[in-house]
Amino acid sequence: MSRISLPGDRVVERPAGTTAAQIFAELVAETAGGPAPAGAPAWKKAVAAKVNGEVVDVSRPIGGDATLEPVLPGSPEALEVLRHTSAHVLAQAVARHFGLDQVEFAIGPVIEEGFFYDFDLPRQLVPEDLPKIEELMEAIRRENLPIVRIEAKDREDALAIVRADRAKSKFKQELISSFPEGETVSFYRQGEFTDLCRGPHLPSTGRLASFKIMSIAGAYWRGDSKREQLQRIYATAFFERDELKAYVKRLEEAEKRDHRKVGVQLDLFRILPEAPGFPLWMPNGTIVFNELITEMRRKLRRRDYVEARTPHIMNADLWKRSGHWAHYRQNMYVTQIEERDFAVKPMNCPGAALVFSQGLRSYRDLPFRLAEFGLCHRYEESGALSGMTRVRSFVQDDAHVFCTLDQVQLEIRGILDLIHEVYGELGMTEIEMFLATRPADRTGTDAMWDQAEGSLEQALRSGGYQFKLNPGDGAFYGPKIDFKIKDAIGRGHQTATCQLDFSLPEKFDLEYTGEDGTRKRPVVIHRAIYGSIERFFAILIEHFAGAFPLWLAPEQAIIVPVSEERHAGAAAAALKVLRDADIRASVDWSNEKLGKKIRNASIRKVPYVLVIGDREAETSEVAVRLRDGTDLGALPVADVAAALRAEAASRSLTPGLRKNP
RNA sequence: GCUGCCGUAGCUCAGCGGUAGAGCACCUCCUUGGUAAGGAGGAGGUCAUGGGUUCAAGUCCCAUCGGCAGCUCCA
């Protein structure tokens, strides 16, 4: 007998080998003797079982004493099981579409937003295949095929199973052969289709819920571009139809916010064939660019940073000294000047080191916080380019802090706080942090690494920041903290970074005079807050859907005369008042009706529309209309100018002028 | 870089073997209009580039360049 502990402090005894499905069924039927735990009626919906914390099939026999919980729809585990089974059904549908013996199956894992399956197919998939495959999936769901787990005795047995199958099994054989000796190899069979799989799965294909094929793409076997090119089908699945609908809707919303699209609509930037990967900042985008940097400069001043500018092109000797020539040259643009090698800078660090080393430094100068809004150029493969998020030239809001190892913790803490301040003020609160520690191949002593990693961790903890550990992911020259934020489509982007560097000071022989009069070596912290302005801008565009807060908006207010003849004087006067208050304002002089002018302003996402007609002209007022359509009525021009000025200065995310209650 | 898809007016797109189209934007004129599209007219394209097939090529084929999605990599 097995003693099985259920939720709600319920314990039942059953013969060894009883399955979770049987126990759930008994409890649902309340035939288990005694009251069923609260919520038990829902257990008939269990998609899997958690036995001693491990998610398994409901049909898996339970051995000895165990804890048992149902895995119910709504939990992340249940969704994963659903999607995993959906992946198998997708594979089965593809097999039916092309013929079971025509398809080579690779792998079909669950991913964040759904799942995919990779195939080697007799021909290229075309979009018309997809609805057919979906229909076949639907048919398999209706057939309600039981899903059966098969365990191989050993690897040989497993290989025999796949070889006996009608389906091609080149990849499966390769996978099985790579498994460690002695590990259980399992298969899942539904109808005519069997797939190598660890499980767990739904009990039958009839339990499939809402699914949808999303896209097709190329992929390589095991992600290796030297291996077989496969066709990947992306799909997703949810328990509720409404969840699937909401997901599709979210993707559509994200597409509307796509910075590449909005960037063209709002005339922010272009990336032209004349300069692939090298963005052209249009005047509107340049305003945002400049505001971001102006605001950062203001914050840096208050934190005792100084700013420098270093050359874009420096000679090969410098890059050899920094190590870039040996390790980063394939990403650098190299040129020749009077027959000597030069390179365009891919990073600002060597320049910063040169700034530091001009003149002898004292410990009294440390920490020396040196900022540079440096334009960097890096060669990127054409296939890696993507809008403003992956470019070949970009401006980093870079800084290098030269300090002692003892000062590191406080400096890092200051940087962490600054990053959160900057992102928080923009309403970006979903920031993931990763502490990357020493890699196998590294420079510096273990004692240095101990102290450095300890300082970073202490800095994180002292600020109460949540973070994840990325062991071994640090740079060879020091540990780092990486920051990831999500864009509108849910893609993660690395933006800010904060890295410790023991190596740069060595390479550039950086020194300062210590309290005791001896020469000492500083450490360097590289850090960027926005990361690259280009990428950050892309994320901002998507974050705000182009409707920037006032301080960033390229056009802050537009004055709309009801009649451009009758109200020209009043409009010009209002424009002067606004411009005197440093508001980016203009008058819409176009020969259009009021409604059209408002529509135009609204398409351009202008935060404030100020209408002037007979009534307003007489009293030096403007009728204020917010971007969201709210009509605030007529207000004195001077008051509006003052309010906008204050709103921009405070970098508020919400309008400073509001409807009076 | 690799695989697939795509490239027609400033933007969004239709046309898919038989003499280049629409909407918006732009220019001119009429209209002077009170909170998301007033009317009329006009200009604008060697259909990405270069080859090929054909009596005839945006349209079919090949190559190159660029874009998109993935793979890979990174700020």
Side-chain angles (χ1 to χ4, degrees), chain A residues 491-502:
Chain A
R491 292 180 298 204
H493 291 287
Q494 194 177 324
T495 53
T497 185
C498 182
Q499 318 189 352
L500 221 58
D501 190 339
F502 309 129

Side-chain angles (χ1 to χ4, degrees), chain A residues 580-645:
Chain A
D580 286 348
D582 289 327
I583 304 301
R584 293 185 288 269
S586 60
V587 177
D588 184 345
W589 293 116
S590 67
N591 182 7
E592 297 290 350
K593 293 178 110 169
L594 179 62
K596 182 60 179 291
K597 290 182 190 178
I598 285 175
R599 177 181 152 80
N600 286 343
S602 139
I603 286 168
R604 274 146 55 200
K605 313 256 186 228
V606 180
Y608 288 94
V609 175
L610 310 174
V611 178
I612 301 184
D614 286 343
R615 300 196 293 270
E616 292 80 11
E618 215 167 281
T619 53
S620 288
E621 290 184 318
V622 287
V624 180
R625 185 187 203 272
L626 303 185
R627 185 161 46 189
D628 67 5
T630 310
D631 186 353
L632 297 184
L635 295 166
V637 179
D639 293 2
V640 171
L644 297 203
R645 187 193 179 103

Side-chain angles (χ1 to χ4, degrees), chain A residues 401-438:
Chain A
V401 179
F402 301 82
C403 64
T404 69
L405 205 44
D406 290 334
Q407 291 170 329
V408 165
Q409 185 184 325
L410 212 56
E411 287 304 306
I412 298 280
R413 174 64 196 280
I415 293 164
L416 290 173
D417 290 348
L418 177 56
I419 288 170
H420 283 81
E421 181 183 321
V422 168
Y423 284 62
E425 283 179 5
L426 288 162
M428 301 159 118
T429 47
E430 221 184 295
I431 309 172
E432 277 189 294
M433 279 176 281
F434 301 89
L435 173 58
T437 57
R438 68 192 81 181

Side-chain angles (χ1 to χ4, degrees), chain A residues 228-477:
Chain A
E228 292 85 343
Q229 173 82 35
L230 305 172
Q231 298 195 62
R232 174 171 297 179
I233 300 181
Y234 282 95
T236 193
F238 293 90
F239 282 103
E240 300 298 332
R241 175 167 287 279
D242 286 350
E243 289 175 303
L244 178 61
K245 272 194 197 157
Y247 173 72
V248 172
K249 178 126 186 156
R250 204 171 79 232
L251 287 186
E252 284 165 4
E253 277 304 310
E255 211 178 307
K256 276 188 221 154
R257 288 172 174 242
D258 190 320
H259 76 275
R260 291 167 298 192
K261 202 168 182 162
V262 176
V264 171
Q265 282 163 356
L266 299 184
D267 253 332
L268 300 170
F269 64 87
R270 297 284 172 129
I271 299 176
L272 303 172
E274 287 83 346
F278 303 93
L280 182 78
W281 287 80
M282 297 294 283
N284 281 344
T286 304
I287 289 171
V288 181
F289 178 97
N290 286 335
E291 288 292 342
L292 286 171
I293 287 182
T294 301
E295 174 57 19
M296 186 59 75
R297 283 203 171 107
R298 203 179 66 88
K299 287 186 158 69
L300 294 185
R301 253 197 318 274
R302 294 194 301 194
R303 284 158 201 266
D304 270 326
Y305 279 76
V306 292
E307 185 181 338
R309 297 177 58 75
T310 67
H312 286 148
I313 298 179
M314 292 185 276
N315 74 16
D317 292 343
L318 176 91
W319 300 112
K320 283 172 187 163
R321 204 182 337 159
S322 70
H324 287 88
W325 199 260
H327 298 295
Y328 205 73
R329 200 174 159 194
Q330 65 282 6
N331 283 298
M332 293 164 67
Y333 300 103
V334 175
T335 183
Q336 290 217 323
I337 300 175
E338 291 174 350
E339 293 172 26
R340 289 176 55 211
D341 287 333
F342 281 74
V344 183
K345 71 173 174 185
M347 297 180 193
N348 303 304
C349 344
L354 292 180
V355 172
F356 179 87
S357 60
Q358 300 313 299
L360 195 56
R361 301 282 169 186
S362 150
Y363 73 94
R364 295 173 195 274
D365 297 328
L366 305 186
F368 182 64
R369 307 186 186 95
L370 181 65
E372 174 171 12
F373 296 91
L375 176 62
C376 296
H377 287 76
R378 296 183 191 173
Y379 169 71
E380 296 286 351
E381 294 174 339
S382 55
L385 301 175
S386 176
M388 287 289 244
T389 57
R390 280 304 294 270
V391 291
R392 287 174 171 152
S393 75
F394 54 93
V395 176
Q396 282 185 322
D397 65 321
D398 211 351
H400 294 84
V401 179
F402 301 82
C403 64
T404 69
L405 205 44
D406 290 334
Q407 291 170 329
V408 165
Q409 185 184 325
L410 212 56
E411 287 304 306
I412 298 280
R413 174 64 196 280
I415 293 164
L416 290 173
D417 290 348
L418 177 56
I419 288 170
H420 283 81
E421 181 183 321
V422 168
Y423 284 62
E425 283 179 5
L426 288 162
M428 301 159 118
T429 47
E430 221 184 295
I431 309 172
E432 277 189 294
M433 279 176 281
F434 301 89
L435 173 58
T437 57
R438 68 192 81 181
D441 186 18
R442 60 180 180 264
T443 181
T445 64
D446 282 356
M448 285 168 98
W449 278 90
D450 286 340
Q451 189 174 353
E453 288 170 5
S455 304
L456 294 192
E457 190 170 340
Q458 270 311 307
L460 282 161
R461 294 202 189 284
S462 73
Y465 295 115
Q466 300 283 317
F467 64 96
K468 288 176 190 151
L469 212 56
N470 262 351
D473 201 38
F476 74 91
Y477 50 75

Side-chain angles (χ1 to χ4, degrees), chain A residues 62-123:
Chain A
I62 299 168
D65 296 352
T67 61
L68 172 66
E69 292 173 61
V71 173
L72 297 169
S75 69
E77 291 98 336
L79 192 59
E80 195 169 315
V81 171
L82 172 76
R83 288 173 171 175
H84 201 165
T85 301
S86 303
H88 279 224
V89 171
L90 168 65
Q92 188 174 13
V94 169
R96 287 187 180 182
H97 188 56
F98 287 98
L100 186 55
D101 52 356
Q102 294 294 305
V103 181
E104 186 83 65
F105 298 93
I107 52 166
V110 174
I111 52 176
E112 201 171 328
E113 305 266 89
F115 58 93
F116 66 79
Y117 209 111
D118 286 347
F119 308 93
D120 191 4
L121 299 171
R123 65 166 170 83

